Amino acid sequence: GENVEQHPSTLSVQEGDSAVIKCTYSDSASNYFPWYKQELGKRPQLIIDIRSNVGEKKDQRIAVTLNKTAKHFSLHITETQPEDSAVYFCAASSLGGTSYGKLTFGQGTILTVHP
Amino acid sequence: SQTIHQWPATLVQPVGSPLSLECTVEGTSNPNLYWYRQAAGRGLQLLFYSVGIGQISSEVPQNLSASRPQDRQFILSSKKLLLSDSGFYLCAWNLAGFRNEQFFGPGTRLTVL
């Protein structure tokens, strides 16, 4: 089955700095890679996703890059703000087939943005 | 629009007591449904998923079970809770065969004493 490794487990930055979280996956059949943000005590919410037919996707201050050859993808947050503080999860999945929509999640990164 | 509900929001139960958590989805048909558990400060562990009424797949062996009596209802149960069952239980859904973005419910925080 799929295995997703996420690094770092904790990340501390100053407000205005950039933050980068990296994930690697094992199954070459995976072709959908979402990122979720989970604030304390709340549900995870999708912030950005990417499919394997593109190498990069951007949405305002957040971007995701994908390297299919190396089987890794990264989340980039620029101009960080205190409200970006949360736990971030990457995930991998295979669209269609017998995956049944299952996501394999990384272990999460606790991001702290200091004012 | 689609909405996912979970109840109860919080629950404190003694060891050895039974458990029933409920999840319902509104505004969609034939969703895939998932139960996750999240221990404090940890990642998301997939417990069960279902692609249709009465169809349940278990991801990890444990003393929990799941049932899907209706298309948009997913129930997580236990006959006898263990201390290790404490955690934040999340239900999620997505549409089969479309895209795999999963939408999470608000969660149930279970404390077993």
Side-chain angles (χ1 to χ4, degrees), chain B residues 10-74:
Chain B
T10 60
L11 191 59
V12 180
Q13 292 284 95
V15 169
S17 64
L19 174 74
S20 181
L21 303 181
E22 190 164 342
C23 169
T24 59
V25 181
E26 295 177 356
T28 189
S29 296
N30 195 31
N32 290 333
L33 295 171
Y34 309 85
W35 276 113
Y36 292 88
R37 176 170 59 203
Q38 188 174 34
R42 302 295 296 275
L44 296 158
Q45 180 187 34
L46 179 63
L47 302 175
F48 300 95
Y49 69 94
S50 171
V51 300
I53 296 173
Q55 300 179 62
I56 308 295
S57 295
S58 173
E59 289 290 294
V60 292
Q62 59 209 314
N63 71 322
L64 298 171
S65 62
S67 62
R68 184 170 177 174
Q70 300 179 45
D71 180 46
R72 288 168 287 182
Q73 184 184 30
F74 205 21

Side-chain angles (χ1 to χ4, degrees), chain A residues 36 38 43 49 93 100-101, chain B residues 32 34 38 99-100 102 104:
Chain A
Y36 287 82
Q38 185 179 27
R43 75 186 86 183
D49 57 11
S93 180
Y100 304 116
Chain B
N32 290 333
Y34 309 85
Q38 188 174 34
R99 58 182 295 181
N100 285 9
Q102 289 187 11
F104 287 86

Side-chain angles (χ1 to χ4, degrees), chain A residues 93-110:
Chain A
S93 180
S94 176
L95 293 172
T98 57
S99 70
Y100 304 116
K102 288 193 295 178
L103 295 176
T104 301
F105 285 90
Q107 285 304 300
T109 296
I110 302 172

